[in-house]
Coordinates of all heavy atoms in Angstrom, one line a residue:
Chain A
D84 N -107.6 37.5 -13.8 CA -108.7 37.2 -12.9 C -109.5 38.5 -12.6 O -110.6 38.4 -12.0 CB -108.2 36.6 -11.6 CG -107.6 35.3 -11.7 OD1 -108.0 34.5 -12.7 OD2 -106.6 34.9 -11.0
S85 N -108.9 39.6 -13.0 CA -109.6 40.9 -12.7 C -111.0 40.9 -13.4 O -111.0 40.8 -14.7 CB -108.7 42.1 -13.2 OG -107.5 42.1 -12.5
A86 N -112.0 41.0 -12.7 CA -113.4 41.0 -13.2 C -114.4 41.2 -12.0 O -113.9 41.3 -10.9 CB -113.7 39.6 -13.9
V87 N -115.6 41.2 -12.4 CA -116.7 41.2 -11.3 C -117.1 39.7 -11.0 O -117.3 38.9 -11.9 CB -117.9 42.0 -11.7 CG1 -119.0 41.9 -10.6 CG2 -117.5 43.4 -12.0
Y88 N -117.1 39.3 -9.8 CA -117.4 38.0 -9.4 C -118.8 38.0 -8.7 O -119.0 38.7 -7.7 CB -116.4 37.4 -8.4 CG -115.1 37.1 -9.1 CD1 -114.2 38.1 -9.5 CD2 -114.8 35.8 -9.5 CE1 -113.1 37.8 -10.2 CE2 -113.6 35.5 -10.2 CZ -112.8 36.5 -10.6 OH -111.6 36.2 -11.3
F89 N -119.7 37.2 -9.2 CA -121.0 37.1 -8.6 C -121.2 35.7 -7.9 O -120.8 34.7 -8.5 CB -122.1 37.2 -9.7 CG -122.3 38.5 -10.2 CD1 -121.7 38.9 -11.4 CD2 -123.1 39.4 -9.5 CE1 -121.9 40.2 -11.9 CE2 -123.3 40.7 -10.0 CZ -122.7 41.1 -11.2
C90 N -121.7 35.8 -6.7 CA -122.1 34.6 -6.0 C -123.6 34.4 -6.4 O -124.3 35.3 -6.5 CB -121.9 34.9 -4.5 SG -122.7 33.7 -3.4
A91 N -124.0 33.1 -6.6 CA -125.4 32.9 -6.9 C -125.8 31.6 -6.2 O -125.1 30.7 -5.9 CB -125.5 32.6 -8.4
A92 N -127.1 31.7 -5.8 CA -127.7 30.5 -5.0 C -128.9 30.0 -5.8 O -129.7 30.8 -6.3 CB -128.0 31.0 -3.6
R93 N -129.0 28.7 -5.8 CA -130.1 28.1 -6.6 C -131.2 27.7 -5.7 O -131.1 27.1 -4.6 CB -129.5 26.9 -7.3 CG -130.4 26.3 -8.3 CD -129.8 25.1 -9.0 NE -129.9 23.9 -8.2 CZ -129.5 22.7 -8.6 NH1 -128.9 22.6 -9.7 NH2 -129.6 21.7 -7.8
T94 N -132.4 28.0 -6.2 CA -133.7 27.5 -5.5 C -134.2 26.4 -6.3 O -134.6 26.6 -7.5 CB -134.7 28.7 -5.4 OG1 -134.1 29.8 -4.8 CG2 -135.9 28.2 -4.6
P95 N -134.3 25.2 -5.8 CA -134.8 24.1 -6.6 C -136.3 24.2 -6.8 O -137.1 24.4 -5.8 CB -134.6 22.8 -5.7 CG -134.5 23.4 -4.3 CD -134.0 24.8 -4.4
T96 N -136.8 24.2 -8.0 CA -138.2 24.3 -8.3 C -138.8 23.1 -9.1 O -139.9 23.1 -9.4 CB -138.5 25.6 -9.1 OG1 -137.7 25.5 -10.4 CG2 -138.0 26.8 -8.4
G97 N -137.9 22.2 -9.5 CA -138.4 21.1 -10.3 C -138.5 21.5 -11.7 O -139.4 22.2 -12.1
G98 N -137.6 21.0 -12.6 CA -137.7 21.3 -14.0 C -137.0 22.6 -14.4 O -137.0 23.0 -15.5
G99 N -136.6 23.3 -13.4 CA -135.9 24.6 -13.6 C -135.5 25.2 -12.3 O -136.3 25.2 -11.4
N100 N -134.3 25.7 -12.2 CA -133.8 26.2 -10.9 C -133.3 27.6 -11.1 O -132.3 27.8 -11.6 CB -132.7 25.3 -10.5 CG -133.1 23.8 -10.3 OD1 -133.9 23.5 -9.5 ND2 -132.5 23.0 -11.1
K101 N -134.1 28.5 -10.5 CA -133.7 29.9 -10.7 C -132.5 30.2 -9.8 O -132.4 29.6 -8.7 CB -134.9 30.8 -10.4 CG -135.3 30.8 -8.9 CD -136.4 31.9 -8.7 CE -136.8 31.9 -7.3 NZ -137.9 32.9 -7.0
L102 N -131.7 31.2 -10.2 CA -130.6 31.6 -9.5 C -130.9 33.0 -8.9 O -131.5 33.8 -9.5 CB -129.3 31.7 -10.3 CG -128.8 30.4 -10.9 CD1 -127.6 30.7 -11.8 CD2 -128.4 29.4 -9.8
T103 N -130.5 33.2 -7.6 CA -130.5 34.5 -7.0 C -129.1 34.9 -6.8 O -128.2 34.2 -6.3 CB -131.2 34.4 -5.6 OG1 -132.5 33.8 -5.8 CG2 -131.2 35.7 -4.9
F104 N -128.8 36.1 -7.4 CA -127.4 36.6 -7.4 C -127.1 37.6 -6.3 O -128.0 38.3 -5.8 CB -127.2 37.3 -8.8 CG -127.0 36.4 -9.9 CD1 -128.0 35.9 -10.6 CD2 -125.7 36.0 -10.3 CE1 -127.9 35.0 -11.7 CE2 -125.5 35.2 -11.4 CZ -126.6 34.7 -12.1
G105 N -125.9 37.6 -5.9 CA -125.4 38.7 -5.0 C -125.1 39.9 -5.9 O -125.3 39.9 -7.1
T106 N -124.7 41.0 -5.3 CA -124.5 42.2 -6.0 C -123.1 42.3 -6.6 O -122.9 43.3 -7.4 CB -124.6 43.4 -5.0 OG1 -123.9 43.2 -3.8 CG2 -126.1 43.6 -4.6
G107 N -122.3 41.3 -6.4 CA -121.0 41.3 -7.1 C -119.9 41.9 -6.4 O -120.1 42.9 -5.6

Side-chain angles (χ1 to χ4, degrees):
Chain A
D84 296 329
S85 297
V87 177
Y88 288 77
F89 286 99
C90 166
R93 192 179 79 176
T94 307
T96 60
N100 302 297
K101 68 176 183 182
L102 295 179
T103 302
F104 283 84
T106 48

